[in-house]
Amino acid sequence: MEKVRSFVIISHVDHGKSTLADRFLELTKTIDAKKMRPQFLDMMDLERERGITIKMQPVRMEYRGYILNLIDTPGHVDFSYEVSRSLAAVEGAVLLVDATKGIQAQTIHNLELAQKQNLVIIPAVNKIDSPQARTEEVKREIANLLNIPGEKVLAISAKYGTNVEEVLKKVVKEIPPPQGNIESLLKALIFDSKYDSFKGVVAYIRVADGVISSADKIHLIQTKAKSEVKEVGYFKPELTPTPRLTAGEIGYIATGIKEPGKVRVGDTITSSKVQSLNLVKALPGYKEPKPMVFASIYPDDPDDFDLLKEALAKLKLNDASLTFESETKEALGRGFRCGFLGSLHAEIVSERLRREFGLNLIISTPSVVYKIIGKKDNQFFVYSPSDWPAASEIKEAQEPWIKLEVMTPTLYYGGIAGLLKNLAGLHIETRYFSSSTKLLLVYEIPLREIISGFYDKLKGATQGFASMNYEILGYRPGDFTRLEILIAGEKEEAFSKIVLDKEAYSEGKKQLLKLKDILPSQLFAVALQAQVGGKIIARETIRAKRRDVIAPLYGGDYTRKRKLLERQKKGKRELKEKGRVRIPSRVFLEMFKT
């Protein structure tokens, strides 16, 4: 165990984590040079296409007689839960900062997570090879942030391998070996998992005490599931079998359990025999993430409902922050209301469902969860507009607020101030970094203000130089109502929204104009209406399709033409009374786009 070092790489998105991991793999000869490719630890095509890490990925390397367990972590705010889970499995962290951009909002957030776990921090400035690098200035930023001398901050180029070996030397020298006892009873923490159709649920574990081998009988303390281990092994980074895993090691076990819900991230694995004696206490798990952004997901083909259910269960295995429960809407059939940590998280999950499981989906616009305090002081949560109670039942409605941190060069302060001014938020403080060339703006704003399009607007206002991070503060009151859309007098539940009272008319008008543009014309005029509390507040009309019924007539008495036109008029009137508008799935897709 003295020769084991376990660490993570943490940083803001796009600061070079995956590239640094590539250099580690080359230096330690973990990957054959012929097989090496950029972003090797980003296993999903989606990760390589977008140039971001979505899933944490462990790998075991050997360097100068030491075993190095590295976990490459995501940098985007929506995947910070992945970071928090990986930190519980290691003793140290390499804090990586881009020399061209300096400290960013997510850098500070990830550093605070690591410091709460009392990890040893090894700071490094990356991309010193870039012509725009501000190496010395950024080193001073990091030194001030960590309260250490500037010479302790390494200057590296992950792209060209400059000084990368110095990072590994520091890892070996400064990060302590794991604590644990091989002779003790088995205790292992599950920090991630995935589904394999042959091996069942494959649990990624950190062994705290004892030894686990193939064919051992195991017990999961939280779910009380029992099974026999099919295989144990290391991450190379492919799953590589080994006879056993011992205290202090990171690896995987093929549990043989076929039901995804029985293996939970944060659960403790022990021996079946031991648990019956009640001798093992569960290891500290993880704080269960609370999704604050919800969207409904429906299969385009209703027959794919069971496939969607199975796909979501398998995705939840290696994305513990995803939640889902079934719901039914008349227009869309059976589907699921899913909870996410943010809009990018929702986008990635839907894309994975399409790619990995071949599903065509209809996805509603993401919305936040509201807390309702009833007239009798009872409290409950509302996850979708269909659950919104009548105004007479509401004493107070509350929405989630966040602390938003925006890091930006001072040059773009005006643009960001204008952007944030339009949000219903409160300015808390402004902190300056780097001799006043960079500042951190701290605001408190409603979460609903940033879940759709805010990140793109922020990047646009600052030419891509600004970064953001946020954390949930809690619930605060607001004046909300349910906006309903009627099509030909029929309420279309899928288009209902929860909006601020003062924005009901403008939002209703906007929805109707969009619907008027994309809903196909019918043989009769279709009224589109927006209503709040039973009162119509806006209206648009789709004109009827017109067929020229008198085109076949050549001359003749006008009464013949009049007779045909009257018959057409009567038919349209009857259609309007009896007809029903069928809404194609394409319309839902277009309406749900932000």
Side-chain angles (χ1 to χ4, degrees):
M1 209 185 301
E2 284 298 316
K3 293 286 187 179
V4 175
R5 300 289 185 271
S6 299
F7 68 106
V8 295
I9 307 173
I10 56 173
S11 78
H12 188 79
V13 66
D14 200 30
H15 279 211
K17 290 182 305 300
S18 298
T19 307
L20 179 58
D22 289 347
R23 299 295 81 78
F24 286 162
L25 295 175
E26 288 175 351
L27 266 172
T28 57
K29 297 183 170 55
T30 303
I31 302 297
D32 188 285
K34 294 177 184 175
K35 295 180 181 178
M36 196 64 199
R37 64 163 193 265
Q39 292 175 268
F40 194 92
L41 293 182
D42 289 344
M43 298 295 186
M44 285 190 277
D45 291 339
L46 197 54
E47 291 179 308
R48 285 195 288 277
E49 284 172 22
R50 290 177 174 247
I52 60 171
T53 302
I54 295 166
K55 281 296 305 165
M56 64 164 117
Q57 177 61 44
V59 62
R60 178 187 172 101
M61 306 176 291
E62 293 179 16
Y63 175 72
R64 296 188 174 184
Y66 285 85
I67 292 167
L68 306 181
N69 292 310
L70 163 67
I71 302 179
D72 183 23
T73 62
H76 194 280
V77 59
D78 277 14
F79 305 112
S80 58
Y81 182 62
E82 293 279 320
V83 179
S84 68
R85 278 159 45 198
S86 60
L87 295 179
V90 298
E91 282 74 39
V94 174
L95 179 68
L96 201 63
V97 180
D98 189 329
T100 65
K101 296 177 182 175
I103 291 172
Q104 302 284 287
Q106 196 67 13
T107 313
I108 297 170
H109 178 69
N110 286 338
L111 174 61
E112 287 172 354
L113 288 176
Q115 288 173 331
K116 281 178 186 173
Q117 294 278 359
N118 296 317
L119 301 189
V120 172
I121 308 295
I122 297 173
V125 176
N126 190 25
K127 303 188 185 180
I128 61 171
D129 55 283
S130 170
Q132 288 83 37
R134 300 177 289 110
T135 306
E136 292 306 315
E137 186 183 330
V138 175
K139 280 176 77 172
R140 284 194 299 274
E141 278 184 26
I142 298 170
N144 291 336
L145 186 64
L146 295 174
N147 199 20
I148 60 172
E151 56 268 21
K152 285 200 171 185
V153 182
L154 295 171
I156 69 169
S157 167
K159 184 177 181 180
Y160 295 108
T162 311
N163 291 336
V164 168
E165 191 159 7
E166 295 303 312
V167 180
L168 285 183
K169 287 177 183 176
K170 273 206 167 195
V171 165
V172 168
K173 183 180 176 184
E174 297 184 13
I175 294 176
Q179 302 295 309
N181 189 344
I182 293 177
E183 305 300 325
S184 293
L185 302 171
L186 171 66
K187 279 198 290 188
L189 179 70
I190 302 174
F191 66 87
D192 204 357
S193 57
K194 71 173 188 176
Y195 191 84
D196 185 286
S197 51
F198 298 105
K199 300 172 185 175
V201 178
V202 177
Y204 294 14
I205 62 168
R206 160 72 182 262
V207 184
D209 291 308
V211 178
I212 188 165
S213 308
S214 184
D216 280 359
K217 288 185 168 54
I218 57 168
H219 179 97
L220 278 68
I221 291 179
Q222 280 182 21
T223 61
K224 296 183 169 45
K226 293 185 178 183
S227 185
E228 183 178 307
V229 178
K230 304 294 181 192
E231 179 181 295
V232 301
Y234 304 127
F235 304 99
K236 284 283 192 173
E238 290 83 9
L239 305 187
T240 307
T242 189
R244 64 179 197 159
L245 290 172
T246 61
E249 292 191 303
I250 289 176
Y252 71 89
I253 61 167
T255 62
I257 297 171
K258 296 288 186 179
E259 298 168 56
K262 287 189 175 180
V263 181
R264 291 184 194 161
V265 167
D267 204 346
T268 301
I269 296 176
T270 187
S271 165
S272 295
K273 295 176 286 186
V274 169
Q275 183 56 26
S276 61
L277 302 174
N278 205 25
L279 294 173
V280 176
K281 288 186 178 178
L283 293 164
Y286 306 99
K287 188 179 177 184
E288 195 71 22
K290 290 186 178 177
M292 287 291 177
V293 175
F294 285 80
S296 295
I297 297 182
Y298 291 85
D300 196 21
D301 181 351
D303 293 338
D304 286 341
F305 174 79
D306 290 330
L307 178 59
L308 175 59
K309 182 178 181 180
E310 185 183 332
L312 285 167
K314 288 178 179 177
L315 274 192
K316 183 170 174 60
L317 266 177
N318 68 353
D319 186 354
S321 54
L322 170 67
T323 66
F324 63 93
E325 60 180 65
S326 61
E327 68 173 9
T328 304
K329 286 185 180 173
E330 189 179 342
L332 300 170
R334 292 189 301 165
F336 293 91
R337 184 173 66 226
C338 301
F340 307 97
L341 296 182
S343 52
L344 178 65
H345 185 205
E347 192 181 328
I348 293 297
V349 167
S350 60
E351 189 65 24
R352 288 185 70 185
L353 287 169
R354 288 189 179 103
R355 291 186 182 211
E356 297 174 26
F357 301 95
L359 287 161
N360 290 319
L361 304 169
I362 296 171
I363 302 162
S364 71
T365 309
S367 64
V368 300
V369 55
Y370 295 86
K371 183 198 277 188
I372 302 295
I373 299 172
K375 294 289 186 183
K376 298 177 181 178
D377 289 330
N378 54 315
Q379 293 186 12
F380 56 94
F381 292 94
V382 171
Y383 299 92
S384 68
S386 58
D387 300 329
W388 192 261
S392 58
E393 298 173 26
I394 301 173
K395 181 178 179 182
E396 185 176 80
Q398 298 181 355
E399 65 174 332
W401 276 58
I402 60 168
K403 181 171 86 171
L404 175 69
E405 296 176 331
V406 177
M407 183 79 80
T408 178
T410 50
L411 176 66
Y412 302 106
Y413 174 70
I416 290 183
L419 180 63
L420 292 170
K421 188 180 177 182
N422 295 328
L423 308 181
L426 307 167
H427 176 245
I428 303 302
E429 68 169 313
T430 301
R431 283 161 48 195
Y432 285 88
F433 285 77
S434 307
S435 306
S436 303
T437 61
K438 186 183 288 186
L439 52 86
L440 180 72
L441 296 168
V442 182
Y443 277 73
E444 290 182 0
I445 65 170
L447 177 59
R448 65 181 159 80
E449 296 278 18
I450 70 159
I451 61 171
S452 293
F454 175 77
Y455 188 66
D456 292 335
K457 289 176 188 171
L458 179 66
K459 288 292 183 185
T462 61
Q463 298 181 19
F465 282 100
S467 63
M468 61 172 268
N469 181 61
Y470 66 85
E471 59 181 271
I472 303 293
L473 293 173
Y475 286 86
R476 297 182 187 178
D479 296 320
F480 299 100
T481 189
R482 178 170 61 184
L483 173 70
E484 296 170 328
I485 301 297
L486 279 66
I487 298 175
E490 294 283 327
K491 184 166 70 177
E492 189 49 68
E493 196 63 65
F495 298 144
S496 296
K497 293 182 83 171
I498 298 169
V499 297
L500 283 169
D501 279 340
K502 62 182 180 182
E503 294 176 2
Y505 171 75
S506 58
E507 185 61 34
K509 196 71 177 173
K510 180 176 148 190
Q511 293 288 310
L512 295 183
L513 289 170
K514 190 173 182 181
L515 195 54
K516 183 181 179 181
D517 192 44
I518 59 177
L519 190 65
S521 298
Q522 308 293 312
L523 292 171
F524 55 93
V526 177
L528 306 177
Q529 296 166 306
Q531 75 172 13
V532 170
K535 180 183 176 183
I536 302 299
I537 58 169
R539 174 186 170 122
E540 292 289 331
T541 304
I542 300 176
R543 294 177 63 183
K545 263 199 263 188
R546 184 130 191 264
R547 182 175 162 229
D548 192 355
V549 291
I550 61 173
L553 299 179
Y554 294 93
D557 189 355
Y558 174 71
T559 55
R560 290 183 65 203
K561 296 180 182 178
R562 183 64 182 262
K563 187 177 177 181
L564 287 172
L565 289 169
E566 287 294 334
R567 188 185 297 168
Q568 184 188 47
K569 189 176 178 181
K570 182 184 176 185
K572 283 181 183 287
R573 192 163 54 244
E574 288 176 357
L575 262 177
K576 188 173 182 180
E577 289 170 5
K578 301 175 188 175
R580 183 169 179 155
V581 180
R582 184 184 172 278
I583 305 172
S585 59
R586 174 186 64 81
V587 173
F588 290 101
L589 288 169
E590 288 296 320
M591 285 296 290
F592 292 152
K593 282 181 185 174
T594 53

